[in-house]
């Protein structure tokens, strides 16, 4: 499955395609080198799901590995409530929902459907506020949009693509101080 796109990178790619390259370069490095406070808080908040102890309900499946041979994507879901056919993506803090986060949830949905799970509802769960935010199920046009996005992701080449540097995004990127495309400092240092 090495040619499958990790679901967790879909939002990162929209934020900055080059960040996916930087992540692959620095992934073996000490996370303290690049992780900022928001990412550290998110990792801590997500720990219950990752360790499968965030719920004691029998009908809750947590941290299930999923994949889609059709879309060539893979990853893990956060929570699937079997009794409600509800797929939930947990986020520590959602000031707004970005398109990449929607793609991540859609990707999980299509993986689960392909794997034979019945999914009738989607939602984000904001950990910091304990708020559930419903998301519409993707339709045929949404699936085509996701397929087009995955195609762009696979075709991206950090060496040959002109990157539009956005200082507002750069200063919020965890790799900002390690990036060769900007002189900006991130807001977390």
């Amino acid at each position: 499955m090495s040619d499958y796109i990790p679901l967790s990178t879909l939002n990162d790619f929209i934020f900055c395609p080059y960040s996916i390259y930087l992540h692959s370069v620095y992934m073996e490095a000490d996370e303290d080198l690049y992780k900022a406070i928001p990412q550290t808080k998110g990792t801590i908040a997500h720990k219950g799901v990752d360790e499968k102890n965030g719920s004691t309900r029998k009908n809750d499946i947590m941290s299930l590995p999923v994949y889609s041979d059709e879309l060539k994507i893979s990853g893990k879901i956060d929570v699937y409530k079997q009794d409600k056919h509800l797929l939930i993506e947990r986020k520590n803090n959602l000031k707004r929902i970005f398109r990449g986060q929607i793609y991540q949830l859609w990707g999980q949905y299509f993986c689960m459907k392909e794997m034979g799970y019945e999914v009738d509802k989607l939602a984000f769960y904001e950990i910091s506020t304990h708020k559930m935010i419903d998301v519409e199920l993707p339709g045929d046009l949404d699936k085509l949009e996701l397929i087009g996005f995955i195609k762009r992701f696979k075709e991206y080449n950090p060496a040959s693509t002109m990157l539009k540097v956005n200082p507002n995004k750069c200063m919020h990127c965890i790799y900002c101080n390690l990036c060769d495309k900007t002189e900006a400092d991130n807001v977390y240092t």
Side-chain angles (χ1 to χ4, degrees):
M1 283 198 190
S2 63
D3 61 337
Y4 283 48
I5 294 175
L7 289 164
S8 61
T9 62
L10 297 179
N11 189 51
D12 296 338
F13 186 81
I14 286 179
F15 179 78
C16 175
Y18 197 65
S19 73
I20 303 299
Y21 165 74
L22 292 172
H23 179 74
S24 67
V25 168
Y26 292 107
M27 78 175 157
E28 298 298 324
D30 181 0
E31 289 182 350
D32 292 337
L33 180 66
Y34 59 86
K35 261 196 174 178
I37 291 170
Q39 288 77 29
T40 301
K41 284 182 178 179
T43 299
I44 292 167
H46 212 270
K47 200 172 189 175
V49 169
D50 294 337
E51 295 176 358
K52 299 183 182 186
N53 62 14
S55 173
T56 57
R57 295 184 180 108
K58 273 197 272 187
N59 286 318
D60 290 356
I61 298 174
M62 304 186 82
S63 198
L64 176 72
V66 295
Y67 66 92
S68 168
D69 288 328
E70 177 189 0
L71 299 177
K72 301 288 189 247
I73 54 178
S74 66
K76 287 185 180 181
I77 61 143
D78 286 346
V79 181
Y80 174 64
K81 295 188 170 288
Q82 295 179 87
D83 56 338
K84 298 178 182 179
H85 302 143
L86 171 61
L87 175 61
I88 301 169
E89 172 65 21
R90 294 167 48 110
K91 299 290 183 192
N92 187 47
N93 192 351
L94 280 174
K95 290 186 174 107
R96 79 181 255 219
I97 297 173
F98 293 96
R99 196 65 177 169
Q101 292 167 321
I102 295 289
Y103 287 163
Q104 182 181 8
L105 190 56
W106 286 357
Q108 293 171 4
Y109 167 80
F110 289 118
C111 288
M112 291 198 69
K113 294 292 281 185
E114 188 176 319
M115 292 171 61
Y117 287 88
E118 189 174 339
V119 181
D120 297 328
K121 296 182 247 177
L122 303 176
F124 287 104
Y125 176 75
E126 187 175 31
I127 298 165
S128 62
T129 63
H130 305 290
K131 182 178 168 187
M132 192 75 75
I133 303 160
D134 293 329
V135 175
E136 285 189 40
L137 291 174
D140 293 339
L141 289 177
D142 298 322
K143 186 173 184 180
L144 288 175
E145 180 183 333
L146 180 61
I147 289 169
F149 174 73
I150 291 169
K151 183 178 185 286
R152 287 191 308 279
F153 189 114
K154 287 183 176 185
E155 291 173 350
Y156 178 74
N157 179 345
S160 66
T161 303
M162 288 298 297
L163 180 69
K164 291 182 183 177
V165 174
N166 180 337
N168 292 324
K169 283 186 174 183
C170 290
M171 60 193 259
H172 289 93
C173 177
I174 62 173
Y175 300 109
C176 179
N177 296 339
L178 305 169
C179 182
D180 60 338
K181 305 293 184 196
T182 183
E183 296 294 319
D185 286 327
N186 73 27
V187 296
Y188 309 112
T189 55

